[in-house]
């Protein structure tokens, strides 16, 4: 997903380069705006409608809430009920990535922990996992990430833990252990000598879109801001792959981690002085334009089973009411099959979360 550029090593291992997060050695993560799926049925992968802009919390010390400064990390603007997916790219070496939503694991449904677990698996493996569009619901599906405010009980955090105190997205990357990394590099060198030159392009090219240009204005100070988290929307076909390595293959401590704060568009403008991107185009207009949807398949990967704690999570429509936007399904030929069927960035300050 996107070309990788190597960033200088910094304490904490996290940088921002444009709208891309760089975690550890070469892991590149983008937050992609997308169409919100209906909460009934199972659908193809929705298209990308551009990247969410990313800004470092530490660059706005006078306008972000004090608790955000304590947590550090980055922030992005998101509309109520807007959907997103996470694009993973640039991972030349294997990485175990934990994805938390309000400090609930999006893969296992367990509470956030600083360590990797296999019973159940609480991480995805890069670069095998090219993206993650929602929480693991098993049987080759996920349920879409959708933004909602804290306080309604609609977030994944609120439904799994009974509390809504954290919000946002949490990311933590683990490298291979030194011994396993050495073995992997040796195997890759041997494979490269035997392999033919790769065909130009990438199977995942095009699943995303270029960033929006911000508009500057003077920010205004404020002591607090509305907190946003992630709930779930519709179901789509996407596998969350099982790790085929032994648990001891991974390092004991993370190479990098970051807290991602979700900001309402009015608060984004107040904090940064920039306008948030416009609200996403409606689904009917997108489908009428004939733009593509995607179907990704990897016959070499094994899908994880459904995560028990996530099975009871209800869609955001149960709190916010029915979605009356018209749903126009893609027409035959509009779904594209994927898979087998630098400039130094700015370091991100970590904090206590």
């Amino acid at each position: 997903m996107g070309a990788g550029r190597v960033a200088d090593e910094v304490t904490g291992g996290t940088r921002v380069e444009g709208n891309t997060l760089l975690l550890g050695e070469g892991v590149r993560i983008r937050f992609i705006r997308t169409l919100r799926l209906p909460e009934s049925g199972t659908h193809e992968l929705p298209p990308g409608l551009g990247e969410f802009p990313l800004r470092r919390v530490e660059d706005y010390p006078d306008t972000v809430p004090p608790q955000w400064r304590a947590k550090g990390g980055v922030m992005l603007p998101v509309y109520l009920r807007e959907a997103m997916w996470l694009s993973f790219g640039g991972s030349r070496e294997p990485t175990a990535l934990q994805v938390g939503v309000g400090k609930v694991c999006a893969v296992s449904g367990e509470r956030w922990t600083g360590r990797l677990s296999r019973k159940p698996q609480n991480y995805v493996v890069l670069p095998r996992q090219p993206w993650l569009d929602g929480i693991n619901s098993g049987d080759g599906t996920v349920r879409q990430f959708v933004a909602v405010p804290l306080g309604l009980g609609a977030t994944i955090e609120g439904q799994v833990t009974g509390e809504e105190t954290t919000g946002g997205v949490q990311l933590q990357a683990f490298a291979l252990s030194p011994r396993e990394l050495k073995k992997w590099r040796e195997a890759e060198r041997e494979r490269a000598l035997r392999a033919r030159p790769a065909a130009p392009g990438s199977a995942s090219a095009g699943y995303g879109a270029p960033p929006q240009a911000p508009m500057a204005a003077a920010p205004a100070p404020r002591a607090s801001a509305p907190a946003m988290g992630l709930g779930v929307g519709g179901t789509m076909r996407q596998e969350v792959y099982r790790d085929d390595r032994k648990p001891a293959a991974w390092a004991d401590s993370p190479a990098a981690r970051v807290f991602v704060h979700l900001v309402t568009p009015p608060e984004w403008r107040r904090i940064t002085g920039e306008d948030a991107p416009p609200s996403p185009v409606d689904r009917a207009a997108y489908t009428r334009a004939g733009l593509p949807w995607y179907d990704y398949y990897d016959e070499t990967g094994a899908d994880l089973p459904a995560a028990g704690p996530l099975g009871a999570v209800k869609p955001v429509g149960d709190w916010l009411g029915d979605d009356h936007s018209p749903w126009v399904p893609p027409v035959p030929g509009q779904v594209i099959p994927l898979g087998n069927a630098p400039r130094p960035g700015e370091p991100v300050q970590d904090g206590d979360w």
Side-chain angles (χ1 to χ4, degrees):
M1 302 291 302
R5 289 182 285 181
V6 179
D8 292 340
E9 183 177 355
V10 297
T11 302
T14 305
R15 286 182 175 274
V16 168
E17 186 176 295
N19 294 331
T20 301
L21 275 176
L22 289 83
L23 267 66
E25 294 298 323
V27 176
R28 302 172 66 87
I29 301 174
R30 295 179 300 140
F31 298 83
I32 307 297
R33 311 179 75 215
T34 191
L35 298 178
R36 191 175 67 253
L37 297 175
E39 294 176 357
S40 61
T42 301
H43 307 275
E44 309 294 343
L45 297 176
L49 296 177
E51 300 166 355
F52 286 94
L54 282 181
R55 300 292 180 267
R56 302 188 307 169
V57 168
E58 62 209 79
D59 289 335
Y60 303 91
D62 297 329
T63 51
V64 297
Q67 61 269 32
W68 290 16
R69 295 200 301 268
K71 292 178 179 178
V74 298
M75 55 187 174
L76 62 84
V78 64
Y79 289 86
L80 173 66
R81 219 169 181 169
E82 184 172 13
M84 71 165 61
W85 53 272
L86 278 60
S87 164
F88 308 133
S91 306
R92 294 176 300 279
E93 297 178 345
T95 300
L97 180 71
Q98 290 182 309
V99 180
V101 284
K103 297 184 77 171
V104 170
C105 178
V107 177
S108 70
E110 304 289 337
R111 288 180 183 254
W112 180 265
T113 174
R115 300 183 65 85
L116 299 179
S117 171
R118 290 288 284 275
K119 295 182 179 180
Q121 182 176 315
N122 65 352
Y123 57 94
V124 295
V125 179
L126 311 184
R128 160 155 279 177
Q129 190 80 38
W131 42 67
L132 187 67
D133 289 59
I135 61 172
N136 171 32
S137 48
D139 298 324
T141 67
V142 299
R143 299 174 68 194
Q144 190 174 41
F145 292 134
V146 177
V148 287
L150 271 62
L152 299 178
T155 63
I156 301 160
E157 173 188 2
Q159 295 187 60
V160 172
T161 70
E163 301 176 329
E164 290 183 313
T165 59
T166 304
V169 176
Q170 299 76 42
L171 300 168
Q172 190 161 258
F174 291 76
L176 287 173
S177 67
R179 178 180 177 181
E180 289 294 322
L181 183 57
K182 180 179 178 181
K183 289 169 57 179
W184 181 86
R185 287 173 174 170
E186 291 173 351
E188 283 297 294
R189 280 194 291 269
E190 293 177 3
R191 187 185 65 82
L193 292 174
R194 299 191 302 267
R196 295 179 179 179
S202 167
S204 58
Y207 190 43
Q212 307 277 346
M215 297 178 60
R222 184 170 173 179
S224 62
M228 297 284 284
L230 291 179
V232 300
T235 300
M236 72 191 76
R237 297 180 183 91
Q238 181 177 98
E239 294 180 323
V240 180
Y241 294 116
R242 185 191 305 274
D243 186 8
D244 56 9
R245 292 182 171 84
K246 296 180 179 179
W250 301 105
D252 292 331
S253 58
R257 68 173 201 160
V258 66
F259 194 107
V260 183
H261 304 266
L262 305 181
V263 187
T264 64
E267 284 300 304
W268 176 262
R269 180 170 181 80
R270 184 195 61 76
I271 291 171
T272 67
E274 306 169 8
D275 285 332
S279 184
V281 66
D282 70 83
R283 298 187 295 252
Y286 189 96
T287 299
R288 284 196 302 269
L291 299 174
W293 293 67
Y294 300 89
D295 183 15
Y296 184 80
Y297 177 68
D298 182 353
E299 64 183 7
T300 66
D303 184 43
L304 286 175
L310 299 178
V313 174
K314 297 178 181 179
V316 299
D318 284 17
W319 281 264
L320 302 178
D322 292 336
D323 178 6
H324 296 292
S325 298
W327 169 246
V328 180
V331 299
Q334 198 174 354
V335 178
I336 298 177
L338 301 176
N340 55 0
R343 174 179 58 85
E346 297 179 288
V348 175
Q349 178 180 323
D350 192 19
D352 182 13
W353 45 272

